[in-house]
Amino acid sequence: MIFAVISGFILAALVPLFSSFARNLIPKIYPFLPLGIFIYLGTCFSQVTQNAPMHWSYNWVPSFGVNLDFRLDGLALLFGMLITGIGTLVFFYSSYYLKEDKYLDRFYGYLSMFMAAMLGLVLSDNLISLFVFWELTSISSFFLIGYKNDDPSSRKSALMALGITGFGGLVLLAGLIWIGFVGGSYSIIELVNSSELIKSHEAYPWIIGLLFIGAFTKSAQFPFHFWLPGAMKAPTPVSTYLHSATMVKAGIYLLARFTPVLGGTDSWNWTLILVGGITMLYAAAHSLFRTDLKSILAYSTISALGILVFLLGVGTEDALLAAGIFILTHALYKATLFLITGIIDHETGTREVTSLGGLQKVMKPVALAGYLAALSSAGVPLFLGFISKEIMYESTFHFSNWAIILTASIVLTKVFLFVAGFWVGIKPFTGNLPQEHAKAKMPSPLLWIPPVFLAGLCVLFGVFPGILDAFMQTVFNSMSPEGEVIHLALWHGLNWVLVLSLLTLGLGFALYKFLKPSQSLKGKLAPFDKFAPIELMERIGITFQSFAGSWTGFFQNGYLRNYVISILIFLTVLAGYRLYDGVDIHLDWSQISDITPSEFLVVVLMVTSIFFALITKTRTGVIVALGIIGLANCLFFLYYSAPDLAMTQFSIDTLTVLLFMLVLFQLPKNRSFSTRKLRVRDGALSLMFGVLISILALEVFEAPSYTEVSEYYAENAYLLAKGKNVVNVILVDFRGIDTLVETVVLVIAAMGVFSLLKLNLNPFNKE
Amino acid sequence: MNNSWIVLPILFQLVSAVVLLLTWGNIKIQKIVSILLSAIGLGIGIWLFLLIYNHGIQVTQSGNWPAPFGITFVADTFGSTMVLLASIAGFSVSIFAAGSMSRARLRFGFFPLLHFLIMGLQGAFLTGDIFNLYVWFEVIIISSFVLITIGGKKAQLEGAIKYVALNLLASIFFLIGIAFLYGLTGSLNMADLATKVQEIDNKGLINVTASLFLVAFGIKSAVFPLYFWLPASYHTPPAAVGAIFGGLLTKVGVYAMVRTFTLIFAGDVFLSLILSVMAALTILSGALGAMYHRHLGKIFGYLIICHIGFMMAGVGMMTELAIVGTVFYLVHDIIVKTNLFMVSGLILKINGTQDIKELGGMYKSKPLLSLLMAIPLFSLVGIPPLSGFWAKLFFIKGGLESKEYFLIAFIILGSFLTLWVIAKVWSEVFWKDAVNLPKKSKGIFFHELSSTGKWVLVLPVIFLSIISLYIGFGAEHIVSLSQRIASELMNPASYIETVLSQKTIEP
């Protein structure tokens, strides 16, 4: 199994190697990858449908409990077969659809990577490895949306999609770790057992909140839905595969997967009902205002995802079953519709539904696929769509007090989707064939066989739903472990649900006859655009960007003195607070020895030069004054019998002065930058800092101290180190390394001086 | 265990630098010798790492003066890992510099300075003495200062002034802190300090001293609100210098912070809280700055700040789990940031500019190089399972454990903005068509180089990318290494015991 998942990544990584010599072979070879995995999954089919999930486990980062634990149960198998099955068709389809493309090899690389990631996602039983694959699907989607990278809107859409799903992904990560933290395991199957523990934990609302954001962003739920229409910039096979059939269902998968762990509470159910409900209605209504085939499909896909979230929210056994079947139904008919859209675009060069018609005259099989898919989407009897719709209505119809509202909203959604499906699947093929498209011709079989095949499945499963029984039973059991035995049938008896079903068809057909897609209809939506989430999000983005500018500019304002001031303020406040908070300040002057005249002199020298440095107007003056302070320090060292130290200090000080001079000469002439007020502020700050450090120094001086080390030096300097001057011995023996390294510092500084003096790559000279 | 060979990484770099000084001015020889010596240095780094990994902590007392009287060098797992990482970065940069630096700059001692800088870093990672650490910091500052100024361009000097002024300020605070510590305990040996600080009654003074260290190391590691020197200076020097800076300079601050706050000032709750708040704002400031700028060097510079915030978050949480995250991130970050600055240098070499608004079309013109550059870029973002991802697991779990939820929020925000910035860079530099590439470059264009010249530039990037991939895919190794380091740091008893065990001197 690990090979099945990893092979996609390996093939993706091999693309750059192949592309130099076998670039044309890639589209011919790579489609066999999903096909092979599909067949492999097929061999697992009988075992999984007997309710015996299969396991594979590979250690990865066991120290954090991250392992590749693959578990193939009904839900995983359903998704796995969709991923590889539709994947196979899309891989073949693309090899012709993008035949002319220069970078087709890359395209297959990304597509293989995506497929592998998606497969890993649905197979993972481990939360963290699930997340790893989750993010990989986002990133491959980024590359695929931005595949036509010359187009600015493609790039923008790719960024937006990555922004939304990437953000959701990171939030999800926090949620997943939190689940693992509370539940004590990263294995989903083990977490089912601690379901009650998690649900009663105080963090439960946070956990599901984070999880929801992850799922909603990925599955394009309101108000995060807007990246999906943008993602339609990707080539149509990509839209078919990622943004309709598989990747966008990852969020649904996640919610379904976690239903046995986290589901069944009011906050779980009602959030999903609300968000799913809004999304399905909002998007279904929106799809009627579009004229671009792919836009219509994008919004109807969002709506379908909304339905799925809604059903998971309803959460009854019927609803979960309906969700399971609808995942399959939707994938089949929506992929068909996308693929025929691609064909239409490929052959006529347009996707404007208003300018299309009568294409059945030139491409019969494609038209047939379109009709079948549209009918399945509408939920006409004898199509799979009918069966899923029946169970959907069944579930809402029996849902407590809210049955009427919930049923009404789903019926309404279904009516809108009826129209959307007909617009894409039927309208372009019926009516008169416009002149400009008369030359359109039948495409290669590589293009038309995949949609026809999928449409055929819609009918096959619709007429004989019984063949899905065993499969759907295991899918259902993944979401509801103790679920009842199900049986799918065409005929559910004469009841209200059937009436509603017929009503949907009637209303839908009436609306289709009455409402024609048109540009003016699209225009009617324009006034509301500024309230659309995409607008809000863009405005937030712009505000945030300008906030970034002002924040950065405020702190990094270019003035060294401001930086120094900020740092000093920070330290003064921090240390001052801690001093005030934790130290009793008492100064005992009696401990301090008398001041000798020479010390006094040196201090006077220092203080004078400090004031000179403050007052003088020239840079040179300041540097010289500071140099004097350094030299005065040398004198201190001399008084305390440390001539070596004094020598070192002397050389370092001289060098530093020189270095500074050289660097400063390159800078513009000194001007007076500060006003009187600023100087007072700076002075006060310096004073405060100085006082603080002085108090601290005195306190430390008075604190009792260990003298073990200094006594050791005093005792052993002569006996063991053979030196009479303790300070010297410390410098050259006890702590000789320090001295050695400081010498190196001198050497380096000398090199600096040398290069500054000699090498001058003037900005105006060429380097 | 006693082993005086553990100072070999330091000594070897010193000798290398001196050898290179002897060949002053002869660039051709210097290039070869430096690469060769760096390779041997890398070998020594590997040797030391394996030695410590297999045989545990090793100590040597300089001049054979028993601790705490002389200067102690200690190689524990943390230190030796850092030595290895510095050797890896040094090796790559040495190669990259040989290919990218202009002759004039090389003539004025770039290579010896590089080895002096690495020596300073190795010293800082191996010393067990707080004042000696200060001395190594001096080496680092002065050599990096000279490295920034080599060439003497106006922008360089302006950046250099800010760099050196603020870093010297940090050194002063550090030195004052050391003086206070010495005044309170009478000792400079870190292991000895660890025991003596615990015994002191006047905790108030220790806490104030700790805040001095916090600010000193905070400046070095570029934490909010002390990071100013970094954005002011990192984009000015040539890419090879930027690479060694971006990879290692701030990290040595993080190293010092982790070392002192786990060993000497362990258990200071207020300090942890301050650090957590600073970490959150560091993440924010870094990410915002990266969003705002359009010069690659500045973007990467601000991203360094942002990710320093991640590591600080781990230090702020101060649990073993969080420290695992910090150490893991440190390992990842040193490799990836060194690589990123080399990548930005490469982009400059190819296109003649680093402005993302002007750049473009790299994916079309250099597809394979683009894919290569994608490795460090997306490792930095932490697209799982690349190297930047794993540490976040520990940060988030650590935050849950210590209930510091706001830090988790900031880590997620920081990760998201990093993702956004890098995606934008990718879209602008690699996807978009070039807008306004300069016709003439200040140096030699990439395509004008001989094929050896090209490989010299590309090889180090490949080398570090492979290491990044290893850190990501072989995360188990790094995680268990980080866990071992974190456990040693949080339970320093064996460190202290090993250092102080040898009390008597043998004649």
Side-chain angles (χ1 to χ4, degrees):
Chain A
M1 178 51 73
I2 191 156
F3 185 71
V5 176
I6 298 235
S7 54
F9 292 119
I10 295 174
L11 282 185
L14 287 179
V15 166
L17 296 181
F18 284 165
S19 59
S20 52
F21 61 94
R23 128 183 258 134
N24 297 326
L25 279 180
I26 286 176
K28 297 199 170 65
I29 296 169
Y30 276 44
F32 290 97
L33 167 74
L35 184 63
I37 304 175
F38 183 79
I39 293 169
Y40 172 65
L41 287 175
T43 61
C44 304
F45 191 83
S46 64
Q47 194 192 331
V48 173
T49 48
Q50 281 156 18
N51 250 333
M54 302 165 76
H55 293 269
W56 297 266
S57 190
Y58 309 93
N59 276 351
W60 190 6
V61 188
S63 305
F64 196 79
V66 183
N67 295 312
L68 295 174
D69 293 330
F70 293 135
R71 184 169 180 276
L72 188 66
D73 65 352
L75 196 60
L77 186 63
L78 169 65
F79 272 93
M81 297 203 100
L82 285 178
I83 292 159
T84 50
I86 295 182
T88 308
L89 299 177
V90 166
F91 272 60
F92 277 116
Y93 183 93
S94 307
S95 68
Y96 186 82
Y97 188 83
L98 293 169
K99 204 172 51 172
E100 325 277 281
D101 205 283
K102 242 168 74 187
Y103 302 115
L104 194 54
D105 49 340
R106 285 179 200 170
F107 179 82
Y108 274 95
Y110 298 143
L111 216 54
S112 310
M113 173 168 139
F114 166 75
M115 191 206 65
M118 196 65 210
L119 209 54
L121 165 61
V122 298
L123 283 167
S124 287
D125 181 53
N126 184 290
L127 294 184
I128 308 296
S129 72
L130 184 149
F131 174 79
V132 169
F133 292 117
W134 178 282
E135 287 292 79
L136 286 175
T137 62
S138 294
I139 200 80
S140 27
S141 155
F142 171 71
F143 282 108
L144 284 166
I145 298 173
Y147 177 66
K148 293 175 183 158
N149 55 40
D150 294 333
D151 178 11
S153 63
S154 247
R155 295 198 299 269
K156 195 178 160 205
S157 299
L159 271 177
M160 187 188 290
L162 184 68
I164 298 292
T165 53
F167 170 74
L170 287 162
V171 173
L172 174 68
L173 175 64
L176 291 177
I177 295 178
W178 212 335
I179 295 174
F181 184 67
V182 172
S185 166
Y186 288 116
S187 158
I188 299 173
I189 201 70
E190 282 172 28
L191 284 167
V192 174
N193 298 325
S194 42
S195 164
E196 288 309 315
L197 175 77
I198 302 173
K199 282 188 218 166
S200 57
H201 196 274
E202 56 179 8
Y204 175 74
W206 286 97
I207 289 176
I208 59 168
L210 297 172
L211 198 74
F212 284 163
I213 292 180
F216 294 164
T217 47
K218 192 83 164 182
S219 286
Q221 296 298 294
F222 186 89
F224 304 114
H225 63 278
F226 53 84
W227 68 266
L228 189 57
M232 295 298 146
K233 293 286 172 209
T236 303
V238 173
S239 312
T240 313
Y241 192 29
L242 274 73
H243 305 123
S244 171
T246 58
M247 187 187 86
V248 288
K249 293 216 177 75
I252 308 296
Y253 168 80
L254 189 79
L255 294 174
R257 191 47 97 195
F258 276 101
T259 298
V261 182
L262 302 168
T265 62
D266 274 353
S267 41
W268 173 276
N269 289 22
W270 283 106
T271 316
L272 293 183
I273 289 179
L274 200 66
V275 173
I278 292 175
T279 309
M280 69 187 187
L281 275 169
Y282 176 89
H286 256 271
S287 66
L288 300 185
F289 290 90
R290 308 285 141 178
T291 54
D292 174 21
L293 288 177
K294 276 181 92 174
S295 287
I296 298 174
L297 286 176
Y299 277 98
S300 72
T301 301
I302 297 173
S303 175
L305 296 167
I307 293 176
L308 285 166
V309 170
F310 174 83
L311 288 172
L312 290 170
V314 171
T316 56
E317 299 212 323
D318 275 339
L320 295 180
L321 179 62
I325 299 174
F326 191 55
I327 289 171
L328 176 65
T329 315
H330 177 254
L332 292 180
Y333 78 71
K334 194 51 71 64
T336 312
L337 291 178
F338 265 107
L339 291 177
I340 63 164
T341 302
I343 296 175
I344 294 172
D345 193 9
H346 198 259
E347 300 304 324
T348 67
T350 178
R351 296 193 311 238
E352 275 300 310
V353 67
T354 47
S355 65
L356 289 166
L359 286 172
Q360 61 173 330
K361 298 191 178 84
V362 287
M363 40 178 93
K364 281 229 166 47
V366 182
L368 178 71
Y371 296 153
L372 296 179
L375 292 173
S376 182
S377 148
V380 173
L382 294 182
F383 288 89
L384 189 55
F386 175 71
I387 292 161
S388 68
K389 192 175 60 174
E390 290 279 289
I391 307 173
M392 251 179 238
Y393 287 179
E394 188 83 38
S395 68
T396 53
F397 203 66
H398 294 116
F399 189 75
S400 68
N401 309 335
W402 296 83
I404 295 176
I405 296 180
L406 297 191
T407 311
S409 42
I410 198 150
V411 168
L412 195 59
T413 308
K414 276 286 174 183
V415 170
F416 290 156
L417 288 184
F418 180 108
V419 180
F422 269 45
W423 279 1
V424 180
I426 293 181
K427 178 142 191 322
F429 298 103
T430 52
N432 296 322
L433 184 67
Q435 261 310 303
E436 70 261 35
H437 300 147
K439 285 199 296 293
K441 56 183 191 314
M442 191 59 197
S444 144
L446 275 176
L447 288 191
W448 66 259
I449 288 179
V452 171
F453 179 73
L454 288 173
L457 288 180
C458 293
V459 184
L460 178 71
F461 293 145
V463 180
F464 306 106
I467 49 178
L468 289 174
D469 268 358
F471 188 27
M472 279 302 147
Q473 179 78 55
T474 49
V475 173
F476 176 57
N477 284 358
S478 307
M479 292 183 272
S480 172
E482 263 101 61
E484 58 188 19
V485 176
I486 59 160
H487 176 62
L488 303 178
L490 204 52
W491 179 250
H492 283 233
L494 197 62
N495 53 18
W496 279 109
V497 170
L498 188 66
V499 175
L500 280 173
S501 201
L502 295 175
L503 182 71
T504 314
L505 294 179
L507 281 177
F509 195 68
L511 192 61
Y512 174 63
K513 279 287 153 201
F514 167 74
L515 191 73
K516 294 287 166 237
S518 71
Q519 289 291 346
S520 65
L521 206 56
K522 197 174 166 186
K524 291 215 176 77
L525 223 50
F528 300 100
D529 274 357
K530 59 176 179 287
F531 303 109
I534 184 167
E535 281 292 319
L536 291 176
M537 208 58 85
E538 275 179 0
R539 242 176 288 159
I540 291 174
I542 291 165
T543 320
F544 196 70
Q545 183 73 34
S546 72
F547 170 67
S550 18
W551 176 281
T552 307
F554 177 76
F555 287 102
Q556 196 69 26
N557 46 35
Y559 293 106
L560 181 58
R561 56 205 162 90
N562 289 351
Y563 303 159
V564 175
I565 287 170
S566 311
I567 292 173
L568 278 186
I569 290 178
F570 181 75
L571 178 58
T572 312
V573 170
L574 183 65
Y577 171 78
R578 301 213 83 183
L579 185 72
Y580 167 79
D581 193 44
V583 184
D584 298 324
I585 301 169
H586 57 89
L587 299 177
D588 185 2
W589 298 102
S590 64
Q591 283 199 14
I592 297 168
S593 53
D594 292 332
I595 301 169
T596 64
S598 46
E599 284 170 355
F600 181 75
L601 263 177
V602 176
V603 170
V604 168
L605 184 62
M606 280 175 134
V607 172
T608 326
S609 18
I610 287 174
F611 274 99
F612 181 74
L614 287 178
I615 295 161
T616 181
K617 293 251 187 286
T618 63
R619 281 209 174 101
T620 328
V622 176
I623 293 169
V624 168
L626 290 179
I628 292 175
I629 298 173
L631 295 179
N633 253 332
C634 296
L635 290 176
F636 264 126
F637 290 138
L638 274 181
Y639 289 142
Y640 293 104
S641 34
D644 320 39
L645 222 59
M647 270 309 293
T648 319
Q649 169 77 25
F650 178 77
S651 355
I652 286 278
D653 202 64
T654 317
L655 261 178
T656 321
V657 168
L658 276 177
L659 268 178
F660 261 100
M661 289 289 243
L662 286 169
V663 175
L664 286 178
F665 271 133
Q666 308 280 338
L667 296 180
K669 223 169 124 51
N670 202 9
R671 273 174 292 164
S672 179
F673 291 106
S674 47
T675 59
R676 200 182 171 75
K677 226 162 107 188
L678 283 180
R679 286 181 189 208
V680 171
R681 178 199 69 181
D682 296 354
L685 182 65
S686 313
L687 203 66
M688 270 164 61
F689 184 70
V691 168
L692 180 76
I693 294 296
S694 310
I695 293 177
L696 277 172
L698 290 169
E699 283 291 329
V700 169
F701 182 73
E702 281 176 17
S705 172
Y706 299 84
T707 50
E708 186 193 10
V709 174
S710 43
E711 275 166 17
Y712 180 90
Y713 287 159
E715 279 166 24
N716 294 311
Y718 189 63
L719 294 175
L720 292 176
K722 321 286 183 220
K724 285 182 184 162
N725 182 327
V726 182
V727 176
N728 280 359
V729 175
I730 292 176
L731 282 177
V732 299
D733 196 338
F734 290 121
R735 302 191 61 90
I737 297 273
D738 285 344
T739 316
L740 173 72
V741 179
E742 284 294 353
T743 322
V744 174
V745 171
L746 271 180
V747 172
I748 301 169
M751 286 171 66
V753 173
F754 180 70
S755 85
L756 275 180
L757 281 173
K758 288 281 188 181
L759 176 67
N760 183 7
L761 298 177
N762 196 293
F764 306 108
N765 294 348
K766 266 191 70 173
E767 197 175 312
Chain B
M1 210 160 58
N2 234 324
N3 185 349
S4 39
W5 285 104
I6 61 168
V7 293
L8 190 62
I10 310 173
L11 278 183
F12 182 76
Q13 294 296 338
L14 179 62
V15 171
S16 309
V18 172
V19 167
L20 286 163
L21 279 178
L22 294 177
T23 56
W24 182 272
N26 196 336
I27 309 173
K28 264 191 190 147
I29 292 180
Q30 275 199 336
K31 280 183 184 175
I32 296 166
V33 170
S34 168
I35 294 174
L36 219 63
L37 289 175
S38 302
I40 300 173
L42 177 59
I44 293 175
I46 296 172
W47 161 78
L48 181 73
F49 175 78
L50 289 177
L51 179 77
I52 306 304
Y53 196 78
N54 294 325
H55 301 287
I57 202 168
Q58 314 262 327
V59 175
T60 186
Q61 317 287 0
S62 69
N64 222 4
W65 296 108
F69 308 115
I71 291 173
T72 308
F73 287 91
V74 191
D76 63 347
T77 319
F78 193 23
S80 62
T81 306
M82 296 299 288
V83 165
L84 175 58
L85 289 168
S87 322
I88 292 173
F91 174 61
S92 326
V93 169
S94 168
I95 300 176
F96 190 77
S100 68
M101 296 281 282
S102 66
R103 295 175 57 83
R105 284 196 166 108
L106 291 179
R107 277 232 309 282
F108 281 85
F110 171 83
F111 282 113
L113 283 167
L114 177 67
H115 288 267
F116 276 131
L117 178 60
I118 304 285
M119 174 191 80
L121 292 162
Q122 312 287 45
F125 298 140
L126 288 175
T127 185
D129 185 283
I130 193 87
F131 184 78
N132 193 237
L133 179 64
Y134 167 83
V135 175
W136 292 118
F137 270 25
E138 291 288 285
V139 174
I140 296 168
I141 291 177
I142 194 80
S143 45
S144 52
F145 174 61
V146 178
L147 277 175
I148 294 190
T149 53
I150 280 194
K153 285 196 188 176
K154 204 164 160 183
Q156 274 185 306
L157 292 183
E158 211 180 305
I161 283 281
K162 287 168 188 160
Y163 171 81
V164 81
L166 294 173
N167 270 287
L168 285 179
L169 197 63
S171 288
I172 292 168
F173 297 152
F174 186 14
L175 196 59
I176 297 175
I178 293 173
F180 288 175
L181 263 187
Y182 186 74
L184 290 167
T185 63
S187 182
L188 294 169
N189 183 295
M190 293 204 269
D192 194 35
L193 280 170
T195 50
K196 286 190 173 146
V197 161
Q198 297 304 321
E199 291 162 12
I200 285 179
D201 299 326
N202 196 346
K203 280 279 178 286
L205 277 178
I206 291 293
N207 290 342
V208 182
T209 313
S211 16
L212 277 166
F213 278 86
L214 174 74
V215 173
F217 296 148
I219 295 175
K220 302 247 177 231
S221 47
V223 176
F224 180 91
L226 313 164
Y227 60 70
F228 312 108
W229 60 270
L230 193 152
S233 61
Y234 264 31
H235 60 282
T236 59
V241 179
I244 201 83
F245 281 23
L248 290 166
L249 280 195
T250 49
K251 276 44 157 209
V252 74
V254 177
Y255 169 84
M257 189 98 87
V258 172
R259 181 65 89 195
T260 46
F261 289 159
T262 52
L263 188 61
I264 302 176
F265 303 111
D268 187 339
V269 181
F270 178 79
L271 197 79
S272 295
L273 180 70
I274 293 281
L275 255 177
S276 298
V277 176
M278 286 165 79
L281 291 172
T282 308
I283 293 172
L284 183 71
S285 305
L288 290 180
M291 274 185 74
Y292 171 69
H293 282 290
R294 32 185 264 189
H295 180 278
L296 276 179
K298 286 189 181 173
I299 292 176
F300 293 155
Y302 271 103
L303 284 179
I304 292 182
I305 298 178
C306 176
H307 299 145
I308 288 290
F310 287 0
M311 292 177 242
M312 284 302 147
V315 183
M317 292 172 196
M318 240 331 147
T319 57
E320 194 168 318
L321 200 64
I323 296 289
V324 176
T326 298
V327 173
F328 191 111
Y329 207 92
L330 199 56
V331 174
H332 142 81
D333 205 54
I334 289 175
I335 301 297
V336 85
K337 289 277 161 51
T338 310
N339 207 354
L340 268 186
F341 276 86
M342 295 199 298
V343 163
S344 78
L346 204 50
I347 290 176
L348 177 69
K349 218 39 175 177
I350 294 170
N351 300 297
T353 175
Q354 285 185 314
D355 186 327
I356 62 170
K357 293 284 171 215
E358 294 173 356
L359 282 166
M362 294 266 301
Y363 200 31
K364 203 174 282 173
S365 60
K366 299 259 182 301
L368 286 180
L369 264 184
S370 301
L371 286 178
L372 175 65
M373 292 176 183
I375 296 173
L377 284 171
F378 288 96
S379 294
L380 177 79
V381 176
I383 298 292
L386 297 176
S387 57
F389 164 67
W390 297 101
K392 286 175 200 161
L393 295 179
F394 291 91
F395 291 139
I396 294 177
K397 198 171 171 192
L400 291 174
E401 208 177 64
S402 58
K403 296 200 185 325
E404 292 190 75
Y405 302 116
F406 76 98
L407 267 183
I408 300 180
F410 273 95
I411 284 169
I412 287 178
L413 180 72
S415 308
F416 170 66
L417 292 179
T418 308
L419 168 73
W420 180 254
V421 167
I422 294 299
K424 200 172 77 182
V425 166
W426 182 263
S427 162
E428 295 283 324
V429 177
F430 294 90
W431 273 354
K432 184 185 69 186
D433 277 331
V435 178
N436 183 20
L437 291 184
K439 296 277 180 305
K440 284 184 181 170
S441 162
K442 288 190 210 105
I444 309 162
F445 268 126
F446 187 71
H447 63 81
E448 296 162 354
L449 291 169
S450 66
S451 73
T452 343
K454 285 180 186 167
W455 277 108
V456 168
L457 288 176
V458 175
L459 270 178
V461 177
I462 296 178
F463 175 60
L464 289 185
S465 297
I466 290 173
I467 295 180
S468 274
L469 288 178
Y470 165 71
I471 296 174
F473 287 93
E476 174 62 16
H477 300 162
I478 313 295
V479 167
S480 53
L481 175 69
S482 311
Q483 279 174 337
R484 175 168 155 180
I485 291 174
S487 146
E488 283 182 15
L489 287 171
M490 297 303 278
N491 314 294
S494 85
Y495 177 99
I496 296 170
E497 196 185 322
T498 319
V499 172
L500 297 180
S501 60
Q502 208 201 3
K503 273 273 183 185
T504 51
I505 187 167
E506 295 136 29

